[in-house]
Amino acid sequence: MKKRIISGMIFCFLISCLITGCETKKKVVTATKQSNDTKKDSVATEENSEDKTYSVGEAVTVQGEKTKLEFTITDYGSFYNGHSPAMIYIKYHAKNLGKNAEIIGQNNFSIYADDYAVSNTTLEDSMYGPTSDDVELASGKMANGIFFAQVDTEEVATLEVKINDQKTYVLQHRKSGNLQNTESQDTENNNSNDDYDDTSDTDDSEYILPNSDSEYVSTDEIDELSARDKRLAINEIYARHGRKFDNAEIREYFESQSWYDGTIDADDFDESVLNKYERANIKKIADSQ
């Protein structure tokens, strides 16, 4: 009798062990599946992060094997500085989040206009100051900088800046950058007004902004101008001082004005002749472009 009882207890114990073992194995399989799902979600997040683009004012982090940097493009705009084609400026803020000192400068940035690479241009002087020198940024330290490129924003649809070939800023994006029809129409309008100008005396009507040399122009005055007229308005200030122009379209426009007398080559023009109103108005109009 005792043998039967002992045998029964042993049998129950073995059955219990088998059931417990199966449940444990099942739980391990479930945990492995959840781990795989987590890995898939992590990979998907990384892929989406690589495709993300950023706008002016957003901070991005780029890193290498031993480097970690934070960049923010804080401002950008277009202007005309006596060069052809027009120029753009790009201002940035940088911070070294890594442990080692890093060299920071315009070489951290790659510019693309409609997917074509554009070389950075070093300027010793402009209305926004010179191109920033490369600086050695110690760990935890910050720096601001500016650099330039020859890009006519009126002629490109997409303008992008890539930082360390990792993060992409989209500065400009529109359906079409082809302004050929607009330029043609503007030329026709100018020609249609030539008869009127030829039969009238020289007066303020020949100027885009008649008082830009003697008073600060208002935002409303600037907002009424087309993109082309803004560019001409900036150069009108230079033209008053006899500056010549290398750009054919701009040169022909001012040579058609009775008041214009171009006597100073573009390379010889000294911006110190500009007064406080002219300097401020050039910057204000350029900022609105």
Side-chain angles (χ1 to χ4, degrees), residues 33-276:
K33 182 178 181 181
Q34 290 176 344
S35 177
N36 290 336
D37 290 342
T38 301
K39 289 181 180 179
K40 289 180 181 179
D41 292 340
S42 177
V43 172
T45 300
E46 291 176 359
E47 289 177 351
N48 292 336
S49 177
E50 291 178 358
D51 294 337
K52 182 178 179 180
T53 58
Y54 299 85
S55 303
V56 173
E58 292 186 272
V60 301
T61 301
V62 295
Q63 58 189 74
E65 185 177 349
K66 297 181 179 180
T67 63
K68 188 174 183 181
L69 302 167
E70 181 184 271
F71 285 95
T72 306
I73 291 182
T74 57
D75 187 25
Y76 98 98
S78 61
F79 67 102
Y80 187 75
N81 196 48
H83 299 272
S84 181
M87 307 288 294
I88 61 169
Y89 68 87
I90 297 175
K91 296 181 180 180
Y92 64 90
H93 173 79
K95 183 176 182 179
N96 187 357
L97 303 178
K99 297 180 180 180
N100 302 319
E102 296 294 333
I103 302 297
I104 304 298
Q106 62 174 324
N107 290 331
N108 291 96
F109 302 86
S110 300
I111 304 172
Y112 297 92
D114 291 340
D115 296 330
Y116 288 93
V118 179
S119 299
N120 297 345
T121 300
T122 299
L123 294 182
E124 296 181 359
D125 185 30
S126 76
M127 65 182 71
Y128 299 99
T131 301
S132 300
D133 294 329
D134 291 350
V135 296
E136 185 174 3
L137 208 58
S139 176
K141 300 303 181 182
M142 297 176 287
N144 293 321
I146 185 171
F147 61 97
F148 306 87
Q150 288 190 342
V151 178
D152 191 338
T153 56
E154 295 181 18
E155 296 182 357
V156 299
T158 303
L159 183 63
E160 298 177 336
V161 176
K162 201 160 189 177
I163 301 179
N164 283 22
D165 289 329
Q166 293 184 29
K167 301 297 177 67
T168 301
Y169 278 86
V170 177
L171 304 184
Q172 175 174 298
H173 180 72
R174 58 182 182 227
K175 292 183 179 180
S176 176
N178 185 0
L179 299 181
Q180 184 64 41
N181 293 336
T182 302
E183 291 176 355
S184 176
Q185 183 177 357
D186 288 339
T187 302
E188 291 174 2
N189 290 339
N190 287 336
N191 291 338
S192 65
N193 291 331
D194 285 345
D195 293 339
Y196 174 79
D197 292 338
D198 290 340
T199 57
S200 62
D201 295 330
T202 301
D203 57 27
D204 287 350
S205 65
E206 289 196 21
Y207 293 92
I208 296 173
L209 292 174
N211 300 318
S212 62
D213 62 336
S214 58
E215 60 183 46
Y216 299 115
V217 297
S218 67
T219 302
D220 290 340
E221 288 179 292
I222 296 174
D223 289 343
E224 291 177 357
L225 301 178
S226 65
R228 178 177 180 275
D229 283 345
K230 286 179 182 179
R231 187 176 181 184
L232 291 174
I234 290 174
N235 289 290
E236 183 175 76
I237 295 173
Y238 293 110
R240 280 193 175 99
H241 295 278
R243 185 190 185 284
K244 295 180 180 180
F245 299 95
D246 296 329
N247 181 279
E249 179 188 0
I250 294 174
R251 182 175 64 251
E252 291 172 5
Y253 171 81
F254 286 112
E255 286 179 351
S256 69
Q257 307 303 312
S258 62
W259 55 266
Y260 175 68
D261 184 18
T263 57
I264 304 172
D265 290 334
D267 293 338
D268 296 331
F269 186 79
D270 186 356
E271 293 197 7
S272 65
V273 301
L274 303 176
N275 62 40
K276 64 178 182 179

